[in-house]
Amino acid sequence: MQQAAAASVSFAGTSAAQYVRMSTDHQQYSIGNQKQAIADFAAARNIAVIATYEDAGKSGVTIRGRPALLRLLQDVQSGTHAFSVVLVYDVSRWGRFQDVDESAHYEYMCRQAGVQVVYCAEEFASDRGAAASLMKALKRAMAGEYSRELSRKVFVGQCRLARLGFWQGAAPGYGLQRMLVDPAGTVKGLLREREHKSIQTDRVIVAPGGEHEVALVRRIYDWYIHHGVGCRRIADRLNAFGICNAHGRPWNPQLVTDILGNEKYAGTNVYARTSRKLDADWQRNPPSEWARSEGAFPPLIDRATFDAAQTIRTHRTQFLSDEELLTRLGEFVRFSDVVRADEIDRAPTLPAGKTYSRRFGSIQNAYARVGYEPDYRGATPEVFRATRSALQRCIEETTDGLVASGHCVDISVDGTTIRVDDELVIRFVARMILHYDRRSPRWRVRWPTYASPDLFVILRLDSAFETPLDVYVFPRGSLVPGDDLSLSIRSGSGEPFDMFRFPDGSILLELAARTNVEAFDGSLSSHSSHRYPGDADSRPESPDQEQAPAAGDCR
């Protein structure tokens, strides 16, 4: 008790900022309730609240989409803040991060800048003792687990409703419309674009749209099946007729493909073909995990017509070998004045650009297979080739070093991302110099918004585009996804990102190294021991032990 009392800190007479956040799941966590609880806490301790950072209707699973928290962290790190305490209602309002270390990291960033984060509704609100730290870590884990469990329950419930024939998506697409029904199945009315149900027990079904839209969907299938008109030509024909799509915009081949390939036009409700859990990336689910409901709503075309369209679509690309795809692409790049992904989509003798990306990892890989070097953001082929070579050398050196240290390394198809020990995802990019003006050369930086890695490695190249100047290693959460930033040549001059700068990629070997962790009884945890090549006990068990690869064979 004396130790706990000694660890307690008094904030009387200090200035504080309050951070409040509300998602859409709990009304007891409303912004007003949080502010009132924080005000009572501050008044009882003579704390003056001078600033408010508010994220209303924001999920706490990730820092993305939470501008108030990002602004708070930026203000704290800038050193211009006038407060020394941040008051938060409880641990869950700070965030339900799936990695407890991420939650602790943002709190540590504040504490490192001299700002203490205090949770008003927790018993350890102003306690810095060991027991409080342990309880705080437990609360962080519980907050993250709550989101995971809630996400799982919501997904299972949505799949169950989809199997019953109820619509779980947003806009149903061209030729279809959403209808609101009560629990007894009685139609209550039409749901227009951006409208949602207001009663939880109500459900949404799909019905055929206007007669002219239904007729056009059937005409698209007729053109495609009986007249041999491809998706590009169908889109051009519709645009020439002045017909707009469901959003009032011109048609493109992908929209036509969606109509020809979606079972909803045959009356089948299909859900969960793709899914996204919390802040993870979207992933394609195998057909065995789809939620299906045959005859869920009146079909616009019969099943035989839909199956005929699928047969044509399958034979156009699936049975083309890699050699045939590359041969067609090689002829295209030799005789075309403009080589771009949209031009590939328009070419009648070529499949869509996505087909090349799916087969070869990326369209750039397909270009390389046919000996074509595209113009990369205005760079010459020589510069593009030198940039790519420098990036490949960096990735190979890092991969070889990790394998030599006993790590298992998997490389993505496009060769820009590696996964270490099936745990750590590292993505590499090379950045060329950009002269915004004569005095300030810079390098562009943007955190990837799709397939977000754990570490984002940026290789800065000099004006010759061959020699790497240095390496920046950004952990997840250090950059705002999607925002364009720039790195200055004036390294070491107080630049905000200097802490992430390293002379070479050897820092990645240190970051990936395993560390022995003490258990509560003081012994070393068996789960944290290093793994070495040839050490069979250090590798996970394989169903077929004879075929389990050694650590050095995982690339």
Side-chain angles (χ1 to χ4, degrees), residues 220-243:
I220 289 175
Y221 274 87
D222 180 65
W223 284 340
Y224 189 76
I225 297 172
H226 300 110
H227 299 275
V229 183
C231 297
R232 165 57 61 180
R233 291 174 58 196
I234 290 176
D236 292 341
R237 184 175 294 183
L238 295 176
N239 292 330
F241 291 156
I243 302 175

Side-chain angles (χ1 to χ4, degrees), residues 73 75 78 86 120 184 204 225 232 253 292 300 309 378 427 481 493 522 524 532:
L73 296 176
D75 292 346
S78 67
V86 175
C120 303
V204 179
I225 297 172
R232 165 57 61 180
R292 299 174 55 87
L300 273 64
R427 183 171 179 179
S493 60
L524 292 178
Y532 296 94

Side-chain angles (χ1 to χ4, degrees), residues 163-231:
R163 292 188 182 97
L164 294 175
F166 297 115
W167 184 255
Q168 298 301 304
Y174 191 86
L176 299 171
Q177 58 185 352
R178 296 177 300 153
M179 306 297 294
L180 187 67
V181 298
D182 62 16
T186 304
V187 176
K188 300 178 66 174
L190 173 67
L191 279 178
R192 302 188 183 279
E193 187 177 2
R194 299 181 182 276
E195 291 183 348
H196 305 278
K197 66 176 186 177
S198 58
I199 302 177
Q200 186 175 7
T201 56
D202 285 347
R203 297 288 180 255
V204 179
I205 62 173
V206 170
E211 293 183 2
H212 66 286
E213 292 188 359
V214 173
L216 183 58
V217 170
R218 293 170 179 169
R219 178 61 61 87
I220 289 175
Y221 274 87
D222 180 65
W223 284 340
Y224 189 76
I225 297 172
H226 300 110
H227 299 275
V229 183
C231 297

